[in-house]
Amino acid sequence: MNKTELRESLFRNAKLTFSRSGGKGGQNVNKVNTKVRLTVPLESLSGLTAEEMERAREKLSPILNNMGCLFIDVDEERLQELNRKTAFARMESRIVNAVKIPKKRRKTKPTKASKERTLKGKKIRSELKRLRSKIFSR
């Protein structure tokens, strides 16, 4: 994966739309278009190998629209420029995380010392409970 090429293709192929955002901002919310919707066709991205593109298509399929486009809405900041930067950063990280191959889990066993600590704790607990019980004479 070539991250710089991916980033450049994101900037080239992205379609930005702006709308009025809810939330903080006071009266400014009603007159300034600060909400950003970033839409990118997945097939137009470069910087990914064929295998990575297939993995991205598979992992991102639940959030792709019917035209094969990824989209992200950002309206957390009061400034459009900050929302725009956040949208591009999130889109890039979403694609990179989808392409990443997870490490396989290696099975591990408890160590001898941890087994001994567990048994020691159980013995102490059982002794406490045994001492609490009533003593019956025989």
Side-chain angles (χ1 to χ4, degrees):
M1 175 193 323
N2 187 347
K3 284 190 179 182
T4 54
E5 191 177 334
L6 176 65
R7 190 175 296 127
E8 288 171 4
S9 71
L10 263 175
F11 284 119
R12 271 195 315 269
N13 299 312
K15 181 182 172 220
L16 294 167
T17 53
F18 306 100
S19 61
R20 293 195 174 114
S21 171
K24 58 188 178 183
Q27 294 174 358
N28 207 35
V29 168
N30 300 324
K31 60 185 181 180
V32 179
N33 293 328
T34 56
K35 182 178 182 179
V36 175
R37 173 170 263 207
L38 175 68
T39 309
V40 178
L42 189 62
E43 298 301 321
S44 66
L45 295 177
S46 59
L48 299 173
T49 64
E51 294 171 354
E52 291 172 335
M53 183 62 81
E54 186 60 38
R55 200 173 314 121
R57 199 176 302 116
E58 184 181 312
K59 288 260 180 123
L60 298 172
S61 63
I63 56 172
L64 287 173
N65 66 8
N66 56 359
M67 294 184 295
C69 294
L70 283 170
F71 63 91
I72 289 182
D73 292 331
V74 180
D75 63 349
E76 282 129 25
E77 301 295 331
R78 292 184 186 193
L79 298 174
Q80 186 185 92
E81 186 58 35
L82 290 176
N83 284 333
R84 188 180 302 159
K85 286 179 183 176
T86 305
F88 276 110
R90 283 187 191 168
M91 182 66 79
E92 183 181 355
S93 69
R94 183 174 274 181
I95 293 168
V96 168
N97 288 336
V99 167
K100 197 181 301 179
I101 300 172
K103 289 183 180 178
K104 290 195 174 182
R105 183 184 177 278
R106 288 178 24 196
K107 293 181 181 178
T108 58
K109 293 181 179 178
T111 62
K112 188 175 180 181
S114 69
K115 287 180 185 177
E116 287 173 3
R117 280 193 302 270
T118 304
L119 288 175
K120 185 178 177 184
K122 286 184 173 190
K123 282 180 184 175
I124 291 171
R125 193 80 189 143
S126 71
E127 185 64 22
L128 269 173
K129 290 187 173 191
R130 190 185 64 79
L131 290 174
R132 275 192 219 135
S133 66
K134 293 181 181 176
I135 301 172
F136 295 105
S137 58
R138 292 182 188 195

